[in-house]
Amino acid sequence: MRASTAKYKGRGKSRSNGPSLQHFSRFSLSFQEYQFPNLAKMFFKTSSSLLLLSLLASFTAAHSHVDEIWVNDVHYSGWNPNDPTVPYPNTTPGWFTTNQGGNPLYPIDANQNQIICGKGGSPANFSASIPAGSTVRPKWWAPGDWPVSHHGPVLNYLAACNGPCSKVNPADLKFVKISHKGWINATTYSEGYWASDALRDDNNSWNIKIPSGLKAGEYVVRHEIIALHLADLGTGAYSTGGAEFYPSCISVKVTGAGTKTIAGGVGAKTFYRGDEPGLLVKNIHTTSDHADYVIPGPAIWTGALTKRGFSA
């Protein structure tokens, strides 16, 4: 049950940047291959508007949100935006969003506020306590597993709030990347096996290590999946379609005697354009070997690197 002290967050207006008919056709092919082949075939055999609406509804339902969060092994419910009559609770570190249906962002959104922490994103009222060096573990849910066709990288960022995260302006956050993983190997699927597949196979969850030695204070963890199943249809920087972005934010309160401070952070609206090799992937469906894949976004912050120089 949600706490009786919960309050409503403001619900601002945001642009709706849905996929084009070309993108929906590609999704239907992907849907046919990986999800519900009979429904996809029906789409191509009929012009029924009711059927199209039904498939569009299924398309929306296939997407996801962070539904549960473990911070230093303590469990919290995430924020589910799909029922606007339910108040946003004071007991979750997951940020508020207005993104009903868990719909994606596209390159056109890459320099807009919604890319920071999702559509209508605003800070959580609560920051979950975690010692530096410990793990944040978000779990995605649609309801249902992360879509098997939505292959792509998983990326994690961190920004200092320089005070209570509940009062921070998202546009003021300066993030560093603390970990990422992209293509893993050429097995399992015709597009290969990606970080998103590993996430789905690990109970739709991902472990994010807070850097060891980080100075105590409140921080925002920005966790993101980028789906590449439409990346071959992108047309360049800030295009209306192409790679799909699924950002989600979590507020944490780091404890300990660490002295490491974040330096060199940048605003999330500078991470991507849409024309990078890691976002405009023309061969995503023609080979399972993507050993040359370059994960988009900034380099991993040196303060998060392990002794071996790699952070997963």
Side-chain angles (χ1 to χ4, degrees):
M1 177 176 290
R2 299 183 183 274
S4 60
T5 56
K7 65 180 180 179
Y8 284 94
K9 284 274 189 175
R11 286 172 166 80
K13 296 181 179 179
S14 61
R15 293 182 299 130
S16 175
N17 296 308
S20 65
L21 182 58
Q22 181 185 24
H23 285 74
F24 181 72
S25 298
R26 170 55 60 81
F27 162 77
S28 299
L29 289 171
S30 179
F31 199 68
Q32 179 178 7
E33 182 178 357
Y34 295 114
Q35 301 285 349
F36 303 100
N38 291 334
L39 283 177
K41 290 175 182 177
M42 288 171 64
F43 171 74
F44 291 106
K45 290 181 179 178
T46 179
S47 60
S48 167
S49 59
L50 290 176
L51 179 59
L52 178 57
L53 289 173
S54 176
L55 285 175
L56 282 169
S58 299
F59 182 25
T60 299
H63 295 138
S64 199
H65 65 274
V66 171
D67 196 59
E68 297 180 79
I69 305 164
W70 286 261
V71 179
N72 193 33
D73 293 327
V74 177
H75 177 263
Y76 302 91
S77 295
W79 165 238
N80 183 347
N82 292 316
D83 185 354
T85 67
V86 175
Y88 177 79
N90 290 326
T91 54
T92 178
W95 277 41
F96 173 86
T97 78
T98 59
N99 190 24
Q100 294 183 37
N103 290 314
L105 302 176
Y106 293 92
I108 193 174
D109 300 293
N111 60 359
Q112 303 298 314
N113 284 337
Q114 53 263 36
I115 198 66
I116 304 172
C117 289
K119 292 180 180 178
S122 62
N125 297 317
F126 165 74
S127 294
S129 180
I130 183 170
S134 297
T135 299
V136 177
R137 180 175 170 87
K139 177 181 179 180
W140 293 80
W141 196 243
D145 292 340
W146 179 257
V148 70
S149 62
H150 287 35
H151 308 288
V154 176
L155 312 93
N156 303 295
Y157 298 84
L158 188 71
C161 291
N162 299 313
C165 287
S166 61
K167 300 183 182 302
V168 77
N169 180 344
D172 292 337
L173 292 170
K174 302 300 182 185
F175 289 93
V176 292
K177 186 188 283 183
I178 56 173
S179 60
H180 64 198
K181 188 177 286 291
W183 178 84
I184 296 174
N185 57 51
T187 67
T188 313
Y189 304 107
S190 58
E191 292 85 359
Y193 190 80
W194 292 77
S196 60
D197 303 307
L199 177 147
R200 185 181 56 256
D201 290 344
D202 189 16
N203 197 27
N204 300 286
S205 304
W206 196 262
N207 292 331
I208 307 166
K209 181 183 176 183
I210 299 299
S212 299
L214 189 66
K215 186 177 181 179
E218 297 197 26
Y219 296 82
V220 174
V221 176
R222 182 182 181 276
H223 170 59
E224 181 177 41
I225 306 174
I226 300 178
L228 300 175
H229 58 298
L230 302 176
D232 58 329
L233 299 178
T235 57
Y238 309 114
S239 62
T240 57
E244 295 183 348
F245 303 89
Y246 297 86
S248 183
C249 287
I250 301 165
S251 293
V252 297
K253 185 175 183 178
V254 173
T255 62
T259 58
K260 189 183 298 181
T261 58
I262 290 177
V266 297
K269 292 190 288 185
T270 69
F271 288 167
Y272 317 116
R273 289 167 47 92
D275 57 353
E276 301 93 326
L279 296 175
L280 194 62
V281 187
K282 292 299 185 181
N283 66 342
I284 184 64
H285 297 293
T286 60
T287 180
S288 61
D289 185 355
H290 297 278
D292 59 350
Y293 179 75
V294 179
I295 300 173
I300 294 176
W301 178 47
T302 56
L305 292 172
T306 65
K307 291 182 180 179
R308 292 180 297 172
F310 174 76
S311 182

